[in-house]
Amino acid sequence: TIPNFLYGIYQCMFAGLTAALLVGSVAGRLRFRTMCIFVFIWTTIVYCPIAHWVWSHEGWAYRLGVLDFAGGIVVHANAGFAGLALAIFMRGRFGYKDWRWRICHLFKTKNPFYTAKHKKEYWDLGHNVPFIILGTSLLWFGWFGFNAGSAETADGQAVVAFINTHFAACSGAVTWGVLDTVLEGRFQRVSAVSICAGIVAAMACMTAGSGFVQPPIAVAYGVAASTMSYLST
């Protein structure tokens, strides 16, 4: 129902976004030229075959009945595992949750090991909260096109995917904020970074089933995704 060129450039958006997600795991540790070479090779030999397996009518995963409406497997799970492998290979940033951080976190004390050149004593929260909020807002807006657009037509399924994306994001934001407030002892103070983390976690979880479930289930998706992501950090 849509031109082939339009469908092709839409799929290029998925490929580019997946690469952008995985290189975020090694931000600040990979040269730009090296990153471009890696992204080209990885997209060609990893992303494209997986996209074919899951979304093509000839793919083995599709024939087995795997449902991935908008890229929960092809994009998010794929980028997650690739990013994890890349981060393990590149190793962590200096001082980020190493043994010094763990000692101070255990005893709730400041870190005496860091010097002025490190600039930050804690790495728990983002260092630029306005940019985090701006980025989350852009993601939230873009995710509507990401999920609803995967219906490839303006019909009821696209509307359901749109609504599910919004409901999951809202429930994820509330869940993460409540958990952070209660479990971290931050009563009467909700962190904006916590809200943003809950939104992104919930929308990522909702992606695969966004066009297949009803809005009440989308709320449960958001709560479950936010809870599991929070407890794993």
Side-chain angles (χ1 to χ4, degrees):
T1 58
I2 60 176
N4 289 334
F5 281 135
L6 176 60
Y7 181 76
I9 199 66
Y10 185 69
Q11 290 301 319
C12 286
M13 178 272 298
F14 278 94
L17 179 60
T18 307
L21 290 174
L22 78 91
V23 298
S25 64
V26 290
R29 287 171 286 163
L30 196 64
R31 292 183 178 180
F32 181 75
R33 182 175 59 183
T34 305
M35 181 194 70
C36 291
I37 296 173
F38 171 80
V39 166
F40 175 78
I41 296 174
W42 181 87
T43 302
T44 303
I45 66 176
V46 177
Y47 175 84
C48 291
I50 293 178
H52 176 79
W53 296 343
V54 177
W55 281 336
S56 173
H57 293 273
E58 299 177 355
W60 65 266
Y62 182 89
R63 291 182 176 181
L64 289 177
V66 174
L67 297 176
D68 185 3
F69 186 76
I73 298 172
V74 176
V75 176
H76 300 303
N78 192 6
F81 283 113
L84 175 62
L86 192 59
I88 292 173
F89 178 78
M90 296 296 296
R91 300 185 179 182
R93 297 194 298 270
F94 179 82
Y96 180 72
K97 295 190 176 182
D98 59 4
W99 63 272
R100 302 176 182 87
W101 181 92
R102 296 182 187 281
I103 291 175
C104 296
H105 186 73
L106 178 63
F107 294 102
K108 306 296 182 181
T109 61
K110 291 185 177 181
N111 196 334
F113 298 98
Y114 287 100
T115 60
K117 68 177 182 180
H118 299 117
K119 298 180 181 179
K120 293 288 183 180
E121 291 182 343
Y122 297 100
W123 296 73
D124 285 350
L125 300 179
H127 68 281
N128 195 324
V129 177
F131 273 17
I132 293 175
I133 297 174
L134 176 61
T136 304
S137 301
L138 293 174
L139 277 174
W140 197 338
F141 178 77
W143 227 294
F144 291 140
F146 193 92
N147 286 355
S150 293
E152 300 175 12
T153 185
D155 59 3
Q157 191 176 37
V159 175
V160 169
F162 189 103
I163 294 174
N164 285 343
T165 303
H166 190 62
F167 279 19
C170 293
S171 62
V174 172
T175 301
W176 196 298
V178 170
L179 290 172
D180 196 44
T181 301
V182 175
L183 298 183
E184 295 294 332
R186 298 170 179 161
F187 293 100
Q188 299 180 350
R189 183 170 68 91
V190 179
S191 168
V193 176
S194 301
I195 298 297
C196 292
I199 291 171
V200 175
M203 290 193 297
C205 178
M206 189 71 253
T207 300
S210 57
F212 302 131
V213 301
Q214 295 302 311
I217 305 300
V219 175
Y221 267 70
V223 173
S226 194
T227 301
M228 289 187 289
S229 297
Y230 178 86
L231 295 177
S232 66
T233 58

